[in-house]
Amino acid sequence: MLEETERWLATRSWSVADRPLHRVLAAKQRSGQRVSVVLPALNEESTVGEIVSVIRHDLVSQAPLVDEIVVVDSGSTDRTAEVAAAAGARVVHRDDILPRLPAEPGKGEVLWRSLLVTSGDIVAFVDADLKEFSSDFVLGIVGPLLTDPGIDLVKAMYDRPLGGAAGQGGRVTELMARPLLNMHWPQLAGFVQPLGGEYAARRSLLERLPFPVGYGVELGMLVDSLHLVGLDALAQVDVGVRKHRHQDGQALGRMAAAIYRTAQLRLARGHLVRPALTQFERGVDGFEPRTYSVDTEERPPMAEIAEYAARKVA
């Protein structure tokens, strides 16, 4: 590990307990900054309501840390929107945000569009499939941004159990993202959960970043933030244990392909001859190929979008 990375680990890796709620609230009051929490959601009716309820109870009603909770629904066919609204979130459909641009499928697209429908100086992203959710996830990632003006982006770190086995989750992280970061961006090798969906950043940073529309958004955001604001402006906070719905191996393969593509674009800005991934499923007549396109689209920095600029002027 680089000496710079070892130093960063010692000075920019914290526990949620390092910044108690009362200290974070005092810093928020002094700064006058607003905090938005965004949950990107697609068919998460079984978990999204509990997450919203916990945030509202702990960090809105009991302690005024969070100013708005926004669930961006990317086309759910279940009761995700209804459950989220009943729990107290403002629900916005992805396609109703910036309608002049047809929406691309993918998580990054939802996160990018959320900047247009939130007002916080600090924006925290939380995946909507978390189980046994604790508000420490939000407190942990928001705390350093409110107490330290030199921090621009904070990732949550945690244990990720899989099937009862501790530390076995995050398979794409271990097989794809971590090797890529260690080989090509070793300054970022200290991030425990580089692909984790729980992180917070200043709007002033987010609006200057391009957003890969799919699963490459987390890796792309880390790499681009490193180049834009430097390693010392990035941090991570231990929030305990993350439990969520795990995807099957083929879905993870597609995720890995998108992440690799995101890395490739940042390494060379070249073009694949064939940005696609073929996988195999056993059918009646043997193994059958299934070919999926790999996410290659990226949205420009939000600061370049006319509607966003007009909103800021207004």
Side-chain angles (χ1 to χ4, degrees):
M1 183 175 288
L2 293 178
E3 183 177 338
E4 181 183 5
T5 306
E6 291 183 347
R7 177 192 55 77
W8 177 85
L9 269 172
T11 60
R12 290 292 186 268
S13 296
W14 299 296
S15 165
V16 63
D18 291 334
R19 290 175 176 79
L21 178 57
H22 68 84
R23 179 184 166 197
V24 175
L25 285 173
K28 181 178 190 290
Q29 186 173 20
R30 287 194 302 270
S31 69
Q33 296 181 92
R34 288 176 53 82
V35 175
S36 301
V37 176
V38 172
L39 282 75
L42 177 64
N43 295 329
E44 304 293 357
E45 67 174 359
S46 64
T47 51
V48 69
E50 176 68 13
I51 297 171
V52 171
S53 294
V54 169
I55 296 172
R56 278 198 61 82
H57 177 271
D58 294 356
L59 302 179
V60 177
S61 300
Q62 297 296 312
L65 180 63
V66 172
D67 297 285
E68 63 176 350
I69 307 170
V70 179
V71 171
V72 183
D73 187 349
S74 57
S76 297
T77 56
D78 65 0
R79 298 175 60 251
T80 290
E82 180 182 341
V83 170
R90 176 161 60 92
V91 179
V92 185
H93 195 282
R94 175 200 63 195
D95 296 346
D96 293 333
I97 307 170
L98 203 61
R100 71 173 176 85
L101 289 180
E104 297 282 347
K107 178 184 179 182
E109 178 81 355
V110 174
L111 301 184
W112 182 71
R113 289 177 186 253
S114 74
L115 297 180
L116 265 166
V117 293
T118 52
S119 60
D121 306 286
I122 293 170
V123 182
F125 299 115
V126 176
D127 282 349
D129 65 342
L130 302 188
K131 303 173 182 177
E132 301 176 27
F133 179 77
S134 166
S135 59
D136 280 352
F137 275 70
V138 176
L139 174 62
I141 59 179
V142 168
L145 294 164
L146 287 170
T147 60
D148 188 337
I151 302 296
D152 285 310
L153 183 146
V154 182
K155 296 278 294 189
M157 57 177 167
Y158 31 65
D159 294 315
R160 295 184 67 179
L162 175 64
Q168 295 303 306
R171 291 162 288 174
V172 176
T173 292
E174 300 304 328
L175 296 174
M176 177 59 71
R178 200 176 308 286
L180 282 171
L181 292 175
N182 276 266
M183 288 187 291
H184 299 296
W185 298 281
Q187 289 172 293
L188 298 173
F191 277 94
V192 176
Q193 297 291 351
L195 301 185
E198 289 68 51
Y199 49 96
R202 299 190 191 281
R203 177 176 294 272
S204 57
L205 171 62
L206 292 171
E207 67 187 13
R208 292 184 289 159
L209 294 174
F211 276 60
V213 299
Y215 285 120
V217 64
E218 275 84 20
L219 183 128
M221 190 176 294
L222 265 188
V223 171
D224 294 338
S225 294
L226 173 67
H227 291 300
L228 201 59
V229 296
L231 183 60
D232 282 342
L234 313 180
Q236 60 184 350
V237 174
D238 187 349
V239 296
V241 179
R242 183 186 197 264
K243 297 181 180 180
H244 67 113
R245 170 176 46 81
H246 292 281
Q247 300 196 54
D248 63 37
Q250 292 209 335
L252 295 179
R254 297 191 290 276
M255 186 184 302
I259 290 164
Y260 178 76
R261 172 62 171 173
T262 300
Q264 182 193 50
L265 287 172
R266 277 149 182 79
L267 285 168
R269 292 293 167 181
H271 295 281
L272 285 174
V273 174
R274 183 174 175 268
L277 175 72
T278 298
Q279 297 176 318
F280 293 88
E281 297 177 6
R282 183 180 290 280
V284 176
D285 298 320
F287 286 103
E288 300 174 355
R290 299 284 187 271
T291 299
Y292 301 88
S293 60
V294 174
D295 295 322
T296 58
E297 182 73 22
E298 294 197 5
R299 293 303 191 185
M302 185 57 78
E304 298 177 7
I305 300 299
E307 288 88 340
Y308 188 78
R311 193 191 75 159
K312 293 186 73 174
V313 171

